[in-house]
């Protein structure tokens, strides 16, 4: 059965999404006692991106007619495991989670599979184990888009710093490997300083400072997430490098996430680009697929009706790769990669009211 046909009943439940502005942004969801109960574990609440995801989740639960229980694992897989036990005891019919350690979550997934509790992982893909669906964007494309932008801006030569995420995460590995592979292939004249940060802004700032001191001719920075945004801007300002893109001292900065602060910084010429990771769609389709699992729906690889593609990662594991566009001030094309303007109202970061 084709994707569009298989989902016709579930998709109809989403027709009310245009009314989201009228939905409560509180922690509760649907009030009907007959509404299926699902659990959502928030991976952290110390970044603007994940706080946006947290804000969207109850809105979509309301729209889809789901009752909602939530926990926060605070970037700790042991807490995530304990939270899963709590959800089991509460009788949830499905769980959405975003495990940051994508290897260590395997035993928990096995337990949930044995109990026939479907799981949707958001943003990350488990290294092993089965889930009903993975909802994330193509993270290799993040690294490639950042590479294409910086390589074009630097005319294929110079030095850049890559502030890597956690390499225990599939996202950190995908973004890092793709950026390095792209630079080696398409811009061999660009030297990349890769810095492990474990998604820690303070560590990122310290390592960037060390690199800029040792190599004052660095002309580009790739931040694998907005976790490094504040520290990077502060450091560039301290060094007199936070200048407009037409100034010879300008350091080109590319981020990942698409939070409002990034879009504002692009408009102001403080950074140059980001890849907009869809916080709103992560919340929407995590719950969408949980409801589909509860309703007995199944899916196959192929194009969807929401501008994404479902791929089969391995036997028994499907991933819906959502769209994540390159965002720039001018919406130009960079080495074949089309961007959209930071002022575009289609971006979730411009619609958080």
């Amino acid at each position: 059965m084709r994707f569009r046909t298989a989902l016709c009943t579930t998709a109809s439940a989403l027709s009310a999404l245009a009314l989201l502005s009228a939905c409560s942004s509180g922690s509760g969801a649907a009030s009907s006692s007959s509404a299926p109960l699902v659990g959502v574990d928030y991976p952290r609440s110390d970044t603007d991106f994940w706080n946006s995801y947290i804000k969207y989740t109850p809105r979509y639960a309301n729209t889809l007619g789901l009752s909602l229980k939530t926990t926060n694992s605070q970037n700790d897989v042991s807490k995530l495991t304990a939270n899963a036990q709590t959800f089991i005891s509460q009788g949830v019919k499905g769980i959405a989670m975003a495990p940051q350690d994508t290897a260590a979550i395997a035993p928990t997934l096995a337990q949930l599979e044995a109990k026939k509790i479907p799981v949707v992982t958001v943003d990350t893909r488990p290294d092993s184990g089965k889930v009903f669906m993975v909802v994330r964007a193509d993270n290799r494309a993040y690294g490639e888009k950042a590479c294409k932008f910086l390589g074009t801006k630097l005319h294929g030569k110079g030095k850049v710093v890559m502030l890597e995420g956690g390499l225990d995460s599939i996202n950190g590995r995908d973004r890092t490997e793709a950026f390095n592979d792209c630079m080696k292939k398409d811009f061999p004249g660009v030297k990349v300083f890769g810095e492990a940060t474990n998604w820690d802004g303070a560590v990122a700032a310290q390592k960037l400072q060390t690199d800029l001191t040792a190599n004052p001719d660095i002309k580009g920075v790739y931040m694998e997430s907005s976790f490094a945004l504040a520290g990077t801007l502060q450091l560039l300002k301290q060094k007199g490098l936070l200048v407009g893109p037409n100034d010879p001292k300008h350091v080109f900065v590319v981020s990942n996430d698409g939070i409002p602060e990034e879009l504002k910084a692009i408009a102001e010429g403080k950074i140059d680009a980001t890849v907009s990771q869809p916080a709103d769609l992560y919340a929407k389709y995590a719950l969408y697929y949980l409801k589909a699992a509860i309703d007995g729906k199944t899916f196959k690889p192929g194009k969807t009706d929401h501008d994404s593609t479902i791929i089969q990662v391995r036997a028994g594991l499907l991933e819906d790769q959502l769209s994540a566009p390159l965002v720039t001030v001018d919406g130009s094309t960079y080495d074949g990669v089309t961007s959209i303007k930071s002022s575009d109202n289609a971006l979730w970061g411009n619609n958080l009211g």
Side-chain angles (χ1 to χ4, degrees):
M1 182 181 295
R2 291 184 62 83
F3 182 90
R4 187 184 300 272
T5 303
L7 290 185
C8 59
T9 56
T10 303
S12 64
L14 293 175
S15 61
L17 286 176
L19 302 176
L20 272 179
S21 60
C23 294
S24 168
S25 60
S27 60
S31 60
S32 171
S33 59
S34 63
L37 179 65
V38 299
V40 177
D41 182 80
Y42 302 136
R44 55 199 302 174
S45 55
D46 58 348
T47 70
D48 290 334
F49 176 81
W50 284 113
N51 283 332
S52 297
Y53 171 78
I54 289 169
K55 182 177 180 179
Y56 280 115
T57 297
R59 297 185 185 185
Y60 286 107
N62 261 319
T63 302
L64 286 164
L66 297 171
S67 290
L68 185 64
K69 294 286 187 180
T70 64
T71 56
N72 191 319
S73 53
Q74 300 174 335
N75 206 26
D76 185 332
V77 71
S78 64
K79 290 182 180 178
L80 176 54
T81 297
N83 291 345
Q85 304 308 311
T86 298
F87 285 145
I88 292 171
S89 69
Q90 291 172 333
V92 301
K93 302 301 183 183
I95 298 174
M97 62 174 69
Q100 302 300 285
D101 186 332
T102 52
I105 194 60
T108 299
L109 294 179
Q111 181 188 20
L112 293 170
E113 182 184 11
K115 291 182 176 295
K116 300 188 183 328
I117 298 175
V119 175
V120 172
T121 63
V122 182
D123 180 55
T124 63
R125 182 176 70 224
D127 294 356
S128 61
K130 292 183 179 180
V131 299
F132 182 76
M133 183 68 73
V134 177
V135 175
R136 67 195 287 256
D138 182 350
N139 277 248
R140 285 194 62 85
Y142 289 11
E144 291 169 359
K145 290 174 181 179
C147 162
K148 298 281 190 179
F149 180 85
L150 285 176
T152 299
K153 286 293 187 180
L154 298 182
H155 305 289
K157 57 185 179 182
K159 299 176 181 179
V160 302
V161 177
M162 173 169 53
L163 298 174
E164 302 167 355
L167 298 184
D168 58 350
S169 160
I170 185 66
N171 290 353
R173 294 195 298 272
D174 276 358
R175 297 175 199 185
T176 297
E177 292 170 3
F179 187 83
N180 281 331
D181 290 348
C182 170
M183 282 296 185
K184 289 176 182 176
K185 177 179 177 291
D186 296 336
F187 306 103
V190 174
K191 179 175 177 57
V192 178
F193 297 92
E195 299 291 1
T197 71
N198 197 33
W199 310 112
D200 187 312
V203 173
Q206 183 272 320
K207 291 191 173 183
L208 179 58
Q209 182 173 27
T210 299
D211 286 333
L212 286 171
T213 299
N215 300 272
D217 55 343
I218 284 171
K219 299 302 293 182
V221 178
Y222 170 39
M223 306 181 297
E224 291 190 5
S225 168
S226 59
F227 75 96
L229 178 64
T232 296
L233 292 180
Q234 183 178 15
L235 182 58
L236 292 177
K237 183 177 181 179
Q238 289 174 354
K239 291 185 171 293
L241 300 174
L242 194 61
V243 295
N246 294 323
D247 191 305
K249 293 190 298 182
H250 182 76
V251 176
F252 291 95
V253 178
V254 182
S255 187
N256 280 163
D257 276 345
I259 62 173
E261 288 77 6
E262 288 175 328
L263 302 183
K264 180 181 177 183
I266 292 172
E268 294 174 347
K270 294 178 179 178
I271 71 171
D272 303 275
T274 189
V275 179
S276 180
Q277 185 170 215
D280 56 340
L281 299 186
Y282 280 0
K284 172 179 176 179
Y285 286 105
L287 295 170
Y288 178 79
Y289 284 115
L290 276 187
K291 187 173 189 301
I294 293 168
D295 291 344
K297 309 270 185 217
T298 58
F299 302 88
K300 294 180 180 180
K303 294 288 186 180
T304 73
D305 57 1
H306 50 270
D307 191 31
S308 67
T309 301
I310 295 177
I311 65 169
Q312 181 169 310
V313 178
R314 56 180 181 266
L317 187 66
L318 297 177
E319 176 174 308
D320 189 355
Q321 294 192 328
L322 303 177
S323 176
L326 178 68
V327 180
T328 63
V329 72
D330 57 8
S332 296
T333 297
Y334 297 89
D335 198 38
V337 176
T338 302
S339 69
I340 66 176
K341 293 183 178 181
S342 58
S343 58
D344 195 316
N345 285 330
L347 294 168
W348 68 267
N350 287 327
N351 291 283
L352 273 180

